[in-house]
Amino acid sequence: MMIRYFLFTLLLSLSLKLSAQEEATTTSEGIEDGTIEQQFDYLKKVSTNYQEYKVIKFRSLEKLQSNILDSINGYQTTIQELKTTLQENKTQITDLNQRLTTTKADFDRAVEEKDSFSIFGMLLHKNFYNNLVWGIIILLILILVISYFRFKRSHQVTAETQQSLEDLREEFELHRRNTLERERKLNRQLVDALNNKDS
């Protein structure tokens, strides 16, 4: 009988020990694993009822508090890291914006220099230079055309004047010859008259 009692006690203690171990294992597994919401759900499930209250083991409550504080500390660390990263990103964005502004100014200056060139220290845009050159060419052509017509007119006037001068010379030469001829005739008549007078 003693053996039976001993075996019964042994079996009872083993089953109690196994159930306590199983409960401790499930308690530690439910508290250790999962999100905070899952841990709260687990505590509700494993806690015992007393009238309208739930009774929670102090160890489980401490473990949950420790897990929550660890999560809060982890989140605060993550928030601090994110703030640092955000500040670094803001600084980098500001730096990149400054570089972009400088690069855009350099690009605009390069495009302006490409589209223009320097003459006598002045930077002239290619379109302005092109218009200036064509304006000068048109002005020179206009001056050339005007000069041509003036030259042609002057040449015509000169030719007419030379022709008039030539005509005037011929007329003068003819008049001189006639005058000389008349003078000779008068001289002969005078000589003849003087000769006739003397004889």
Side-chain angles (χ1 to χ4, degrees):
M1 177 108 188
M2 186 94 155
I3 292 178
R4 278 191 202 173
Y5 180 67
F6 178 71
L7 283 175
F8 178 71
T9 312
L10 184 65
L11 280 173
L12 187 61
S13 66
L14 276 176
S15 67
L16 285 175
K17 190 175 182 182
L18 283 176
S19 71
Q21 256 183 350
E22 196 174 292
E23 186 178 314
T25 305
T26 54
T27 302
S28 66
E29 281 178 9
I31 294 292
E32 294 293 332
D33 299 335
T35 63
I36 292 175
E37 185 179 355
Q38 290 171 342
Q39 291 177 23
F40 271 114
D41 289 341
Y42 176 77
L43 279 180
K44 286 181 197 173
K45 189 170 77 173
V46 296
S47 61
T48 57
N49 291 331
Y50 174 72
Q51 295 178 356
E52 60 194 54
Y53 304 106
K54 285 275 191 183
V55 179
I56 300 172
K57 291 183 181 176
F58 189 69
R59 257 181 310 153
S60 298
L61 191 59
E62 282 181 333
K63 185 63 179 168
L64 181 64
Q65 181 183 9
S66 170
N67 289 346
I68 289 173
L69 291 176
D70 286 345
S71 295
I72 290 173
N73 287 338
Y75 292 143
Q76 285 176 343
T77 305
T78 304
I79 288 171
Q80 193 59 38
E81 288 173 358
L82 288 174
K83 282 182 181 178
T84 305
T85 305
L86 182 63
Q87 188 60 38
E88 289 173 357
N89 287 345
K90 282 182 181 178
T91 306
Q92 190 175 12
I93 286 171
T94 305
D95 183 45
L96 288 174
N97 283 336
Q98 288 174 349
R99 285 186 188 176
L100 180 64
T101 304
T102 306
T103 304
K104 189 175 182 311
D106 290 344
F107 175 74
D108 290 343
R109 193 177 326 111
V111 166
E112 185 178 341
E113 287 176 1
K114 179 184 168 276
D115 288 343
S116 52
F117 51 90
S118 179
I119 294 179
F120 304 119
M122 291 182 356
L123 199 64
L124 294 178
H125 196 271
K126 284 185 179 176
N127 288 338
F128 176 73
Y129 175 76
N130 194 14
N131 292 338
L132 180 68
V133 167
W134 278 109
I136 290 171
I137 289 172
I138 290 171
L139 181 66
L140 289 175
I141 289 173
L142 188 62
I143 290 171
L144 182 67
V145 168
I146 291 171
S147 298
Y148 172 75
F149 284 117
R150 288 181 126 193
F151 174 75
K152 189 173 178 183
R153 187 169 155 242
S154 296
H155 183 66
Q156 186 178 5
V157 168
T158 305
E160 287 174 2
T161 306
Q162 282 179 347
Q163 184 63 41
S164 297
L165 182 64
E166 194 62 39
D167 291 345
L168 195 60
R169 275 188 189 154
E170 285 178 10
E171 192 178 318
F172 178 72
E173 189 63 34
L174 184 64
H175 180 66
R176 190 175 67 84
R177 281 186 202 150
N178 287 339
T179 307
L180 279 174
E181 185 86 26
R182 255 185 276 142
E183 221 178 276
R184 278 188 202 146
K185 277 184 187 177
L186 284 175
N187 278 341
R188 271 190 232 140
Q189 285 176 0
L190 183 62
V191 169
D192 284 341
L194 283 174
N195 281 339
N196 284 340
K197 200 177 186 187
D198 284 335
S199 31

